[in-house]
Amino acid sequence: MEIEVSKYAGFCFGVERAINLVKSAAEKKSKLYTFGPLIHNPQVVENLESKGVKVINQLQEVEPNSTVVIRSHGVTKDYKKKLKQKNVDILDATCPYVKTAQKKAQYLYNNGYKVIIYGEKKHPEVKAIHSYTNYKGVVIENIDKFKIFDNVKKYGLVAQTTRSKKQFSILVAKYVENSKECVVFNTICNATFNRQQDAKKIAEKVDFMFVVGGKNSANTTKLYKIVKQIKPAEHIETADEINIDRIRDYDIIGITAGASTPEYLINDVINKIKKI
Ligand code: SF4
């Protein structure tokens, strides 16, 4: 049986960076907290917990003299301020690409632009970017919600890092057509696009596809939805979930994984299939 693994399977740059920062901090510090799971992968979160990294859900749970990690998708300005008031150490693992989106939004706001943020309102990354416009920016979730505002002469656009470039370009074109001044910062990161494109390419070639990653991971679930439209597929968290009888008769198996899936889980899947 042949196996084809996507070259984009597994950690993106921002997730890998966040995990490395937390792991090395865990070696030196005793009280280390992440507000919510560091990434959407239960196996990785469990492993970090065994190293003393505790997941909390309320700021009140933070003890004095501890370290709180800011996750790769960043936090709002207000949350950062509250953390500082608590007198704790902050380990900022915000992905540099997300930070750029925050800075560009702030720049646009400070320079009098009506800031348009193309993204998902409830996503923590978008909430954080929004806070950098003092909540005066407008979040547009999809291009049908395009809106022109009274007495606004200049627009400034940024996007959530995981959005589609194609859709963002359509939105940008609408603002260009309908305003005298429009500044655009392309804050979209290529990681998601590359991973999805490669998954599609592999799905075309293989008989069956495994998508490895947390069931609570939005980007892994999206990958699974994409490939299953092309070939039979299964979303699994670990190699233990592989039903050998289901794939025994196939010639080529494809494998991809979400941005929060560690390499060792992907390798476990590869090794299990190799033994068939
Ligand atoms: S998907 Fe891109 S922006 Fe988001 S954490 Fe990964 S590298 Fe950073």
Side-chain angles (χ1 to χ4, degrees):
M1 181 180 287
E2 265 182 64
I3 303 171
E4 171 114 17
V5 186
S6 168
K7 59 176 183 280
Y8 296 105
F11 288 166
C12 63
F13 156 75
V15 166
E16 184 155 31
R17 181 177 169 272
I19 290 186
N20 289 341
L21 282 173
V22 171
K23 276 188 179 162
S24 69
E27 284 168 15
K28 296 172 219 137
K29 306 192 184 238
S30 53
K31 286 187 222 158
L32 198 59
Y33 298 103
T34 65
F35 190 70
L38 183 65
I39 59 169
H40 289 132
N41 185 280
Q43 290 75 24
V44 173
V45 172
E46 229 172 78
N47 179 274
L48 289 172
E49 264 170 0
S50 73
K51 293 180 171 24
V53 183
K54 198 174 164 202
V55 178
I56 52 162
N57 296 304
Q58 307 275 344
L59 217 47
Q60 292 90 303
E61 293 174 59
V62 176
E63 288 176 34
N65 304 319
S66 56
T67 303
V68 179
V69 179
I70 295 180
R71 299 181 292 175
S72 53
H73 42 227
V75 291
T76 62
K77 265 169 75 179
D78 343 8
Y79 179 85
K80 219 171 183 177
K81 201 168 151 197
K82 277 187 199 153
L83 270 183
K84 283 183 182 155
Q85 284 163 353
K86 274 210 158 263
N87 225 358
V88 292
D89 282 337
I90 300 173
L91 176 61
D92 192 351
T94 308
C95 175
Y97 299 137
V98 174
K99 224 167 216 174
T100 299
Q102 294 173 350
K103 282 186 191 153
K104 296 299 184 195
Q106 186 166 38
Y107 165 86
L108 290 167
Y109 172 69
N110 288 344
N111 285 282
Y113 290 88
K114 180 78 183 167
V115 185
I116 305 293
I117 304 162
Y118 177 53
E120 194 188 323
K121 267 187 192 136
K122 287 192 181 146
H123 195 287
E125 180 190 317
V126 174
K127 285 184 182 170
I129 297 170
H130 199 200
S131 74
Y132 282 83
T133 68
N134 282 354
Y135 300 101
K136 297 287 185 336
V138 175
V139 180
I140 292 197
E141 293 206 314
N142 58 61
I143 52 176
D144 305 336
K145 297 275 158 49
F146 159 78
K147 197 174 165 192
I148 282 293
F149 298 85
D150 292 341
N151 304 320
V152 171
K153 291 204 172 64
K154 47 188 207 175
Y155 290 90
L157 279 82
V158 293
Q160 184 178 353
T161 55
T162 48
R163 281 279 154 143
S164 140
K165 277 188 192 165
K166 217 172 175 180
Q167 298 295 303
F168 185 46
S169 307
I170 298 172
L171 187 67
V172 167
K174 288 184 186 236
Y175 280 100
V176 170
E177 277 165 29
N178 289 282
S179 65
K180 284 269 177 241
E181 188 176 339
C182 179
V183 169
V184 181
F185 288 109
N186 178 5
T187 50
I188 295 172
C189 148
N190 285 331
T192 309
F193 177 77
N194 289 343
R195 187 186 316 273
Q196 291 177 355
Q197 288 305 107
D198 201 51
K200 275 186 206 167
K201 226 162 63 187
I202 292 179
E204 301 286 354
K205 283 197 266 175
V206 301
D207 301 314
F208 186 92
M209 195 88 187
F210 280 115
V211 181
V212 192
K215 298 270 162 74
N216 58 344
S217 153
N219 80 85
T220 312
T221 309
K222 178 87 205 259
L223 263 186
Y224 171 59
K225 276 189 190 154
I226 290 172
V227 299
K228 82 169 182 186
Q229 280 172 357
I230 305 171
K231 283 291 159 64
E234 201 175 337
H235 177 177
I236 54 172
E237 283 189 354
T238 68
D240 294 341
E241 292 165 63
I242 296 175
N243 176 354
I244 291 172
D245 291 332
R246 189 174 178 202
I247 57 169
R248 202 183 291 283
D249 296 330
Y250 291 127
D251 294 324
I252 316 181
I253 302 289
I255 298 173
T256 189
S260 46
T261 310
E263 201 178 3
Y264 82 92
L265 288 176
I266 303 168
N267 287 338
D268 285 353
V269 172
I270 298 169
N271 292 333
K272 185 156 182 180
I273 299 170
K274 272 186 182 163
K275 285 185 193 141
I276 299 172

